[in-house]
Amino acid sequence: MSYGIVTEQITTFDTELRLESGRILGPIDIAYETYGTLNEARSNAILVTHAWTGSAHLAGRHSEDEKRAGWWDEIVGPGCLLDTDRYFVICSNVIGSCFGSTGPTSINPKTGKRYNLAFPVITVRDMVKAQTLLLDRLGIEKLFCVLGGSMGGMQALEWATQYPDRVASAVVLATTPRPSAQAISLNAVARWAIFNDPTWKKGEYRKNPKDGLALARGIGHITFLSDESMTAKFGRRFSARDGQFDFFGQFEVERYLNYNGYNFVDRFDANSFLYLAKALDLYDVAAGFESMEEAFEPVRAPIQFFAFTSDWLYPPAQTEEMVATLQNLGKSVEYHLITSAYGHDAFLLEHQTFTPMVQSFLDGIKP
Amino acid sequence: MSYGIVTEQITTFDTELRLESGRILGPIDIAYETYGTLNEARSNAILVTHAWTGSAHLAGRHSEDEKRAGWWDEIVGPGCLLDTDRYFVICSNVIGSCFGSTGPTSINPKTGKRYNLAFPVITVRDMVKAQTLLLDRLGIEKLFCVLGGSMGGMQALEWATQYPDRVASAVVLATTPRPSAQAISLNAVARWAIFNDPTWKKGEYRKNPKDGLALARGIGHITFLSDESMTAKFGRRFSARDGQFDFFGQFEVERYLNYNGYNFVDRFDANSFLYLAKALDLYDVAAGFESMEEAFEPVRAPIQFFAFTSDWLYPPAQTEEMVATLQNLGKSVEYHLITSAYGHDAFLLEHQTFTPMVQSFLDGIKP
């Protein structure tokens, strides 16, 4: 059952946040939404962490006539996986993004103008540090669970490793301990597409640099799908509107990437795209540690991992490396490899497959 | 032993070539090089077909002080796989390219100006049709072998299927009967990168659109490598010149793609890149036939196929589909799956692995 109407909230922190880079960010706004009710023991909170282009709008609708519900509406609500009759579900927009939390589109208090490239490079660890401010303000000492996929999974890993006393469990989907050289290179060409756009103006644009951002999204989009799912959906069909021998004629898959790329320009900021791409590439669960073993040493929460067979961006072997390391350390860890043709996007689309597994994992967690 | 000095030749055909699109192209220049001597029976000619950005300069040097030898120098020369003491080796630049054969940079006889986008869309089948003109002129009725990888493999397939009486054997490396939706989409974003470059001017540039073409090459470059080879070469190393938290800081792999992309601008024409990308995407060995079976029905030459385990652009399963089809038709076919970390580029780099196999295949061919 869908959650219904939800209101986004924005809360401001006057603290100055010391970032991993050594730079200072503040004041900080954090946009968030909550679903369900915090219990008296304050022990039923589940934080859902979003991926690259996600927002705090996890589920429900902001008004009756909002066309689309939140980005993962299927799993939040009464009787759903994240049952709002039992849990208090929170989702906050990461810093660096453009959906209400402080990011490059925010006003830089030192200049009174948009940060743009004056915004500091941030990391996934910084995003989570900012989330701890929100939980402090909500009076939540310990999360019942932190759950996320892709960049959301990286955040869940940071919670489990950097704040081991503040999480009772973690569910990590389609993620990696550190993106590979190929994953980095695919983000690199996406960044390059924006840099090439003369309307980007080193970040000082008034209107999103549309051609560059649309192409950057097109490149990213390919990495979220799989050859199998693209073949099933489009195959080699040529656009019915075009002649096969027209110079500008397009294959259906080409038209689809183009169409979606330009749609993306209306909803996501180019500089935020660049900052978050950077955060993804820089991500390394073992940053600052001698090894992955050392990084996972403090973990106390049981962690449930999911990988998806056709995910070539963050392939299953990368999740399996974390699972093996945690097992060697004697930590409580559970791993499911899901057979799916949907590529990296499977973590959003295959929820019916993994819901019963997450359900039974959560049922075994003591707050 | 290297071949030594070689001279490129350009020959002009006044014929008007009817293209697969129905359009007419002519007159046609073809640039080519030959190595070794044609025997009296004219039965020892081997045609090597080049890939996307290749040229007729297969082997040897144009002068003593030419820095780099031809693109596949290692396999051509006395005592080499393509032994110039035994074989007459030919390599010609495909039409649509920018290395001497007629392409978008050539002068359009109707206007006295560069073709640019007035150049017709060409297909791999058209490239091979143009090659038959060259062989007619050289007085070669039947090739002892046609050998090529990637787009060169597609040409070899066209020789074997469209001109079954003119080839005694074919060696096909790292190719596909038709690129998949994912392969098309990766070329699509490369094209898009050039289209986005305002200096491309719908093909009417005077100077190569450098940012767009460099990025297009960067995207292509990723598809020629593998995650394994990139990880071995670059891993997640950050450029020593940059700070990890610099907005414009680059990973080594990112700098490498950038550096090579901009180098590429000096040696390849953007419009040719676009036309050949299109030819690759349009390629379908069964175009004009009811099925792959029907397309392969006329084949008379034994075909030797090679696929490479880490080639994710044209994965081994696509070669295996052709092998199985030919086997079912009772054709003479040989298949080798080579274990390699080099991705699609393996067909150029793993020659030491496949040389003995090609050698023994060629030894079994009767002219």
Side-chain angles (χ1 to χ4, degrees), chain A residues 228-337:
Chain A
E228 200 179 339
S229 65
M230 284 176 140
T231 297
K233 195 163 178 178
F234 305 105
R236 290 178 42 85
R237 279 198 310 283
F238 212 76
S239 166
R241 302 206 316 221
D242 301 335
Q244 201 173 2
F245 300 109
D246 294 350
F247 181 81
F248 289 105
Q250 290 184 317
F251 287 86
E252 278 292 349
V253 66
E254 191 168 4
R255 182 175 298 282
Y256 172 80
L257 292 173
N258 212 269
Y259 177 82
N260 279 281
Y262 282 97
N263 270 351
F264 183 71
V265 173
D266 297 331
R267 62 185 173 86
F268 209 82
D269 172 65
N271 288 339
S272 277
F273 186 91
L274 292 167
Y275 277 92
L276 298 186
K278 187 97 186 169
L280 284 164
D281 289 354
L282 288 176
Y283 186 65
D284 184 351
V285 72
F289 297 96
E290 289 294 320
S291 64
M292 195 187 288
E293 284 74 14
E294 195 184 290
F296 281 151
E297 185 43 56
V299 169
R300 295 176 59 179
I303 309 182
Q304 186 185 43
F305 287 93
F306 290 89
F308 300 87
T309 50
S310 58
D311 182 352
W312 60 284
L313 184 64
Y314 299 156
Q318 295 175 14
T319 292
E320 287 156 16
E321 190 189 343
M322 294 191 280
V323 171
T325 303
L326 285 160
Q327 277 170 341
N328 286 341
L329 290 167
K331 305 291 181 183
S332 173
V333 56
E334 193 181 311
Y335 171 58
H336 301 280
L337 176 63

Side-chain angles (χ1 to χ4, degrees), chain A residues 30 45 73 105 145 183:
Chain A
I30 293 187
D73 188 63
T105 60
C145 184

